[in-house]
Amino acid sequence: MRSSDRRLNALVRHLLVGDSNSSSSSSMGSITDSPASASDGRDSVFAHVVQAPEDPILGVTVAYLKDPSPIKLNLGVGAYRTEEGKPVVLNAVRKAEHQLVNDVSRVKEYLPIVGIAEFNKLSAKLILGADSPAIQQNRVTTVQCLSGTGSLRVGGEFLARHYHERTIYIPQPTWGNHIKVFALSGLTVKTYRYYDPATRGLNFQGLLEDLGSAPSGAIVLLHACAHNPTGVDPTLEQWEQIRQLIRSKALLPFFDSAYQGFASGSLDADAQPIRTFAADGGELLVAQSYAKNMGLYGERVGALSIVCKTTDVAGRVESQLKLVIRPMYSNPPIHGASIVATILRDRNLYDEWTVELKAMADRIISMRRQLFDALQARGTPGDWSHIIKQIGMFTFTGLNAEQVAFMTGEYHIYMTSDGRISMAGLSTKTVPHLADAIHAAVTRVF
């Protein structure tokens, strides 16, 4: 044995003996003498940390899972369910995964900071259109992100660093995470009027007034389609008025597209507002998510596209997006984006996906009609036509917090306290139960 090896072995034996003695002495010392110190946490450097409240949306599922009732119904979290109430993996996704798994040339190396180039190119084409002048003129930079939330966060941090106006206007109400994402990105968050509780529709006049009084250059968050949580979207004519106002005031539109194809069943129709803005030559941001329209919730697949004035600007913007992403999560995961790229490039898989996507959208539309008809049949007080006028995964029922609590306590139906329900969580079998609960709530709780 070499002398260096002998010295190394001796050092190892010394450390092992020292560790053994240390363990022995500690077992007879402070831990034995003060058993409470390890259990009550008062000596922890984190003892001052308070228990955080449950997320208002995800907390609904936590409460639902604790309920032993056989008739319980979860209408809180926005995830598609089949008529049998089960999660679904699309056939197109299964086939794409099968191709990927059986491709022995695939490796698990790190992706570039911006992700898979083909995924980015196809994502921009999907949202902006194959004939988009911005794409043809190379004025778009797209980076793969961690679903819609990650895309919003990357976009928000980029704007906080490089855009002259650090105020973003978001609709009231909006998805609960928007406020946190943009505030933690370094932006000041303000709201503009959007929903009218009296009509359970769009407060279009209030929207125009608030955006009209916003400072020049302010950022405006827009839901591309299937507004969350209300399900209320502007008409195409109203979108045109919004576009003209935003461009005349030099406001910067930031679209959140979480439901392309999932709202109407048409990928093109649901992207029309974004494409109209992109066609006028102005700049904008778009956050995309494939959670809903491909059912890739847990794969965390999304993209951020920024439409710029010139190719040169787009290249410099991408260089700075890399500096945002690198210290945040270094680079994105490979599997989910590979599924998306496989489907978008393969005509047969793409066609199968669009058929499945429309089937999901149609089922949700059918649930709206069935719930409306069930309330009509029960003579439930009030006008419930907003259920079939709203679009997408969610319906803003108009129920108040007390009525929601009543429905949870008496009927074991779980939803967010603002009365938002996920239509995708309903089925033909559960619609009567929900209709009974709503009828009881509005007739017994005021």
Side-chain angles (χ1 to χ4, degrees), residues 199 231-233 368 383-391:
T199 64
V232 175
D233 286 351
R368 289 183 177 280
D383 179 5
W384 297 95
S385 62
H386 61 282
I387 293 175
I388 50 178
K389 291 176 182 176
Q390 295 170 6
I391 192 170

Side-chain angles (χ1 to χ4, degrees), residues 29-170:
S30 59
I31 293 179
T32 304
D33 295 339
S34 307
S37 65
S39 59
D40 63 14
R42 284 179 293 180
D43 61 343
S44 170
V45 296
F46 304 114
H48 64 285
V49 175
V50 299
Q51 182 69 34
E54 291 281 3
D55 180 274
I57 297 175
L58 300 182
V60 171
T61 298
V62 173
Y64 166 81
L65 292 173
K66 293 179 180 177
D67 188 342
S69 172
I71 61 169
K72 64 182 180 179
L73 181 60
N74 185 4
L75 301 177
V77 179
Y80 183 80
R81 295 292 181 263
T82 65
E83 179 66 22
E84 294 71 38
K86 303 295 184 183
V88 64
V89 178
L90 302 182
N91 290 328
V93 169
R94 292 280 194 207
K95 291 177 181 178
E97 283 191 306
H98 184 75
Q99 286 185 24
L100 295 169
V101 168
N102 286 281
D103 182 356
V104 295
S105 68
R106 286 180 55 79
V107 294
K108 300 294 185 181
E109 292 293 301
Y110 289 124
L111 290 180
I113 295 173
V114 298
I116 300 173
E118 183 185 30
F119 166 84
N120 292 336
K121 180 180 179 180
L122 293 171
S123 292
K125 180 180 174 181
L126 185 71
I127 195 68
L128 296 174
D131 58 350
S132 168
I135 292 178
Q136 293 171 354
Q137 297 161 11
N138 295 315
R139 296 188 287 110
V140 183
T141 181
T142 303
V143 295
Q144 179 188 336
C145 296
L146 306 182
S147 202
T149 305
S151 303
L152 292 165
R153 182 62 182 266
V154 170
E157 293 212 10
F158 168 79
L159 292 171
R161 295 185 193 183
H162 300 287
Y163 188 59
H164 67 277
E165 176 59 64
R166 291 183 173 83
T167 300
I168 185 167
Y169 284 77
I170 64 175

Side-chain angles (χ1 to χ4, degrees), residues 3 69 236 276 314 352 365:
S3 60
S69 172
L236 287 179
T276 302
E352 183 169 7
I365 293 170

Side-chain angles (χ1 to χ4, degrees), residues 23 44 56 99 139 158-159 226 244 257 299 312 380 398 435:
S23 299
S44 170
Q99 286 185 24
R139 296 188 287 110
F158 168 79
L159 292 171
Q244 292 180 13
S257 178
E299 299 290 355
D312 179 62
T380 304

